[in-house]
Amino acid sequence: MTSTASNPPLAGQVAVVTGAGRGIGRAIALTLAELGSHTVLCGRSREALEQTAAAIQRSGGGNSGRGLEKVAGKSSVIECDVTDLQSVEALAEHIERTFHRLDILVNNAGIGGAGGPLHQLSPDDWDRVLNTNLRGVYYCIRSLAPLMINSKGRNGHIINISSLAGKNALPNGAAYAASKWGLNGLTYSVAEELRAHNIRVSVICPGSVHTEFSPHPGKNAEKMLQAADVAHAVAMIVTQAPQSFASEILLRPTQKP
Ligand SMILES: NC(=O)c1ccc[n+]([C@@H]2O[C@H](COP(=O)([O-])OP(=O)(O)OC[C@H]3O[C@@H](n4cnc5c(N)ncnc54)[C@H](OP(=O)(O)O)[C@@H]3O)[C@@H](O)[C@H]2O)c1
């Protein structure tokens, strides 16, 4: 991946990151902005998104700005709840109206939900997890993929942030595991649907990452994966050669935490 301030690899591109206000989504947004894209930051809490936008502005980015003069800075903030179809459709309309293109969609927003055995999980908790981690990705792809398909001739990326819990059993986290196993199946299937449109749909499955997402008792935080490690995997995907397709990354820490 080569990048210079005058010619960053994603110059002129537009990226959307859901859940960009903190944790992994924030790190991904910073990295995509650093690589030169105009990054649209989505989430429910405007204040957190504004903080990510300020960090992007401080970092200076590297966007050439061509065609993006209407929006100041290297990012925009849009409140969006991925569980609400109207909210996601409003996001898509804004992007189409403002940029007329979308190159990268990172479906990162996700929640862990209540722990405990499945037979004690309330239907409301089940719905919250599945509606965010799986239905939310469906809503984003449904609303935003058409704009990516219309960007004819360009390469697009949809990157879904899943988990190693989408590859393994997760006792006391069955709803979360089901949402991520579902997300993996969705990703592999949509990848086949969209590859003819030059859109590569890939999934990153990290192990435990040191964020506010959930406590990791007994683990050495310094040895754990960091949000920036997941962002680095996203950077690898969006800067790969155009004729190849790294469709899945399983991400583990180098040393056991
Ligand atoms: N941390 C880990 O150990 C780990 C491991 C593997 C995979 N992951 C996955 O990585 C992703 C990010 O996790 P993280 O560790 O960064 O978690 P986090 O620090 O809790 O951040 C989650 C982000 O998602 C947003 N979000 C939650 N519900 C939303 C909704 N309905 N609509 C829009 N945005 C929403 C939150 O913003 P608002 O609350 O402001 O909306 C927040 O920005 C998740 O999909 C998670 O499953 C995490």
Side-chain angles (χ1 to χ4, degrees):
M1 169 192 345
T2 51
S3 166
T4 62
S6 58
N7 186 28
L10 304 183
Q13 296 194 22
V14 178
V16 167
V17 181
T18 67
R22 61 173 192 265
I24 294 169
R26 175 186 160 98
I28 292 170
L30 283 164
T31 295
L32 291 177
E34 207 172 285
L35 290 172
S37 71
H38 184 102
T39 308
V40 180
L41 314 170
C42 309
R44 293 167 303 178
S45 157
R46 171 167 283 275
E47 201 185 331
L49 298 172
E50 298 282 8
Q51 285 174 13
T52 302
I56 287 173
Q57 201 154 25
R58 278 196 303 276
S59 79
N63 199 331
S64 70
R66 187 180 296 178
L68 302 176
E69 292 83 356
K70 278 175 262 175
V71 182
K74 318 292 186 296
S75 66
S76 343
V77 164
I78 302 192
E79 276 175 61
C80 176
D81 181 343
V82 297
T83 67
D84 176 352
L85 183 57
Q86 277 189 339
S87 175
V88 177
E89 284 177 345
L91 163 73
E93 279 160 25
H94 173 85
I95 290 170
E96 182 153 24
R97 223 180 23 251
T98 310
F99 303 108
H100 317 291
R101 68 186 284 170
L102 180 63
D103 303 277
I104 297 166
L105 166 62
V106 182
N107 288 307
N108 162 78
I111 59 170
L118 186 70
H119 67 271
Q120 291 175 2
L121 190 75
S122 74
D124 280 351
D125 278 337
W126 169 270
D127 283 346
R128 257 191 291 279
V129 173
L130 271 292
N131 286 349
T132 307
N133 298 0
L134 192 51
R135 183 182 286 263
V137 176
Y138 155 55
Y139 282 172
C140 288
I141 291 175
R142 177 186 155 81
S143 304
L144 290 163
L147 181 56
M148 299 179 79
I149 289 168
N150 285 342
S151 307
K152 284 193 175 39
R154 299 194 200 110
N155 287 300
H157 288 279
I158 297 175
I159 302 171
N160 296 331
I161 307 301
S162 181
S163 167
L164 285 183
K167 290 284 179 181
N168 300 304
L170 186 65
N172 298 315
Y176 181 73
S179 73
K180 295 300 190 181
W181 278 77
L183 180 57
N184 290 355
L186 178 152
T187 306
Y188 311 143
S189 307
V190 179
E192 293 308 315
E193 294 169 2
L194 295 184
R195 66 194 298 182
H197 298 283
N198 279 339
I199 299 169
R200 287 167 281 183
V201 185
S202 53
V203 64
I204 300 176
C205 300
S208 297
V209 184
H210 181 49
T211 67
E212 294 169 33
F213 186 74
S214 64
H216 296 101
K219 291 203 171 174
N220 180 339
E222 283 179 18
K223 288 186 181 168
M224 281 175 69
L225 287 171
Q226 307 295 318
D229 297 320
V230 185
H232 183 73
V234 169
M236 282 162 50
I237 289 173
V238 298
T239 57
Q240 70 191 301
Q243 76 283 2
S244 63
F245 175 26
S247 55
E248 182 169 29
I249 294 180
L250 309 188
L251 201 63
R252 297 183 169 83
T254 305
Q255 292 175 30
K256 276 208 178 266

